[in-house]
């Protein structure tokens, strides 16, 4: 509810001067918020999502230990989508040709992001997964797992805790001074405690360099010295995200109104995504 604290600007939902056909592409929380606000203002809104469920990355976040309540963001927006009559099509991937064929008055692109996989020195075919793979239930081989955490946020610490609770030996290698450095202090302390209880070993101030079949090679962020972890069965990358901006780029010459919100502009958090959905839909 990004209206909170911005009531003078967004506290009153003002009807649109003229109803438009609005296409929202992708149903993460940013796209859902944009669809809801546009429909509430009187626009005819259709929301397309490539997956079978709306929610985007929130559907991943809610599966991490202690974060089930985060899924409430999706539950609340789903009820508003029903309330304001947004047409929803799931399992529908949208390309530029489809947009042109539908001829909407306005397109809101909310295509999100994908896991960032940096260029690494890899030899002997190591098992390399992303945090999204792990959360989605990918098979993680038994033995030590190194989680290489670049952002020091919920994802790396949460995945390390999850793997530890599943019985894996886990080394969490973070690129900051501490695990969860970007998380609020008291939440970080509780998550770190739970990770330690689950047997997670934490190595601060290291960045991922490469891996082979049973070794992960790290580099100290300050000294540049090598840090080596042996007897490793898998490497899990939690290295942030890359914008999924292909559709936005393809619509560069689209004659109608085109707007972009959320991670397809720049990978950030739910807070920015829903705020931008509110801002764009309020301006239509």
């Amino acid at each position: 509810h990004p209206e909170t604290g911005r009531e003078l600007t967004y506290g009153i939902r003002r009807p649109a001067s003229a109803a438009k056909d609005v296409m929202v592409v992708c149903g993460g929380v940013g796209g859902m918020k944009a669809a809801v606000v546009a429909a509430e203002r009187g626009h005819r809104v259709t929301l397309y999502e490539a997956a079978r469920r709306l929610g985007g990355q929130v559907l991943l976040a809610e599966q991490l230990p202690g974060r089930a309540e985060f899924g409430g963001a999706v539950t609340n927006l789903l009820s508003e989508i029903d309330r304001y009559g947004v047409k929803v099509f799931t399992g529908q991937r949208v390309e530029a040709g489809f947009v042109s064929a539908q001829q909407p008055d306005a397109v809101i692109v909310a295509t999100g992001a994908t896991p960032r996989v940096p260029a690494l020195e890899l030899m002997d075919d190591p098992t390399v997964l992303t945090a999204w793979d792990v959360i989605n239930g990918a098979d993680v081989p038994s033995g030590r797992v190194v989680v290489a955490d670049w952002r020091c946020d919920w994802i790396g610490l949460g995945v390390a805790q999850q793997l530890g609770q599943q019985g894996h030996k886990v080394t969490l290698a973070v690129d900051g001074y501490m695990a969860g450095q970007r998380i609020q202090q008291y939440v970080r302390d509780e998550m770190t405690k739970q990770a330690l209880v689950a047997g997670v070993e934490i190595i601060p101030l290291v960045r991922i360099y490469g891996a082979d079949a049973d070794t992960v090679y790290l580099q100290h962020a300050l000294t540049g010295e090598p840090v080596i972890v042996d007897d490793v069965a898998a490497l899990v990358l939690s290295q942030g995200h890359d914008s999924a901006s292909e559709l936005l780029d393809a619509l560069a010459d689209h004659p109608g109104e085109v707007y972009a919100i959320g991670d397809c502009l720049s990978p950030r958090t739910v807070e920015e995504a829903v705020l931008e959905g509110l801002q764009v839909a309020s301006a239509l």
Side-chain angles (χ1 to χ4, degrees):
H1 193 72
E3 293 88 343
T4 302
R6 302 178 176 91
E7 288 85 358
L8 291 178
T9 305
Y10 300 111
I12 299 175
R13 197 78 75 223
R14 303 188 185 282
S17 57
K20 297 180 179 180
D21 291 316
V22 178
M23 174 186 292
V24 181
V25 184
C26 286
V29 290
M32 293 172 76
K33 183 67 176 181
V36 164
V37 174
E40 187 179 359
R41 295 186 59 233
H43 295 298
R44 298 175 294 271
V45 183
T46 306
L47 173 60
Y48 294 91
E49 166 56 46
R52 294 296 177 185
R53 293 177 59 197
L54 300 181
Q57 292 181 52
V58 170
L59 301 180
L60 297 173
E62 69 177 352
Q63 297 181 59
L64 292 174
R67 299 209 73 193
E69 81 290 341
F70 200 60
V74 174
T75 303
N76 293 339
L77 285 167
L78 282 172
S79 67
E80 294 184 31
I81 279 174
D82 290 338
R83 184 184 313 157
Y84 296 112
V86 176
K87 294 181 180 179
V88 177
F89 293 90
T90 57
Q92 173 72 61
R93 187 170 298 277
V94 173
E95 298 180 349
F98 181 81
V99 175
S100 297
Q102 296 298 310
Q103 297 184 326
D105 298 310
V107 183
I108 300 175
V109 180
T111 45
T114 56
R116 175 177 173 265
V117 179
L120 301 174
E121 293 286 340
L122 300 177
M123 300 173 288
D124 302 327
D125 196 25
T127 298
V128 181
L129 305 167
T130 68
W132 288 23
D133 294 330
V134 173
I135 298 170
N136 280 321
D139 183 30
V140 180
S142 58
R144 181 167 297 280
V145 179
V146 173
V147 178
D149 180 8
W150 175 59
R151 283 186 49 83
C152 302
D153 59 6
W154 296 87
I155 302 173
L157 186 53
V159 166
Q161 179 186 339
Q162 183 181 65
L163 289 168
Q165 291 174 346
Q166 292 171 352
H168 294 277
K169 296 179 180 179
V170 182
T171 297
L172 174 60
V174 301
D175 202 9
Y177 292 101
M178 65 189 74
Q181 185 170 318
R182 293 175 179 266
I183 304 173
Q184 194 275 339
Q185 173 186 350
Y186 301 112
V187 178
R188 177 180 67 235
D189 290 349
E190 177 62 23
M191 288 187 69
T192 302
K193 182 192 80 172
Q194 294 298 333
L196 294 173
V197 169
V200 175
E201 173 194 16
I202 300 173
I203 305 176
L205 291 172
V206 289
R207 61 175 66 99
I208 185 64
Y209 183 84
D212 60 28
D214 59 4
T215 306
V216 167
Y217 301 93
L218 307 164
Q219 184 180 39
H220 197 279
L222 301 182
T223 68
E225 293 295 315
V227 178
I228 298 174
V229 183
D230 294 313
D231 299 321
V232 175
L235 169 64
V236 176
L237 299 175
S238 182
Q239 297 286 298
H241 302 94
D242 290 325
S243 294
S245 58
E246 294 84 359
L247 178 62
L248 182 61
D249 295 339
L251 293 174
D253 297 324
H254 182 72
E257 300 176 47
V258 178
Y259 305 92
I261 62 174
D263 282 1
C264 72
L265 281 176
S266 177
R268 289 155 294 158
T269 72
V270 166
E271 183 176 358
E272 288 86 6
V274 294
L275 173 58
E276 289 169 4
L278 169 65
Q279 290 171 329
V280 166
S282 296
L284 287 175

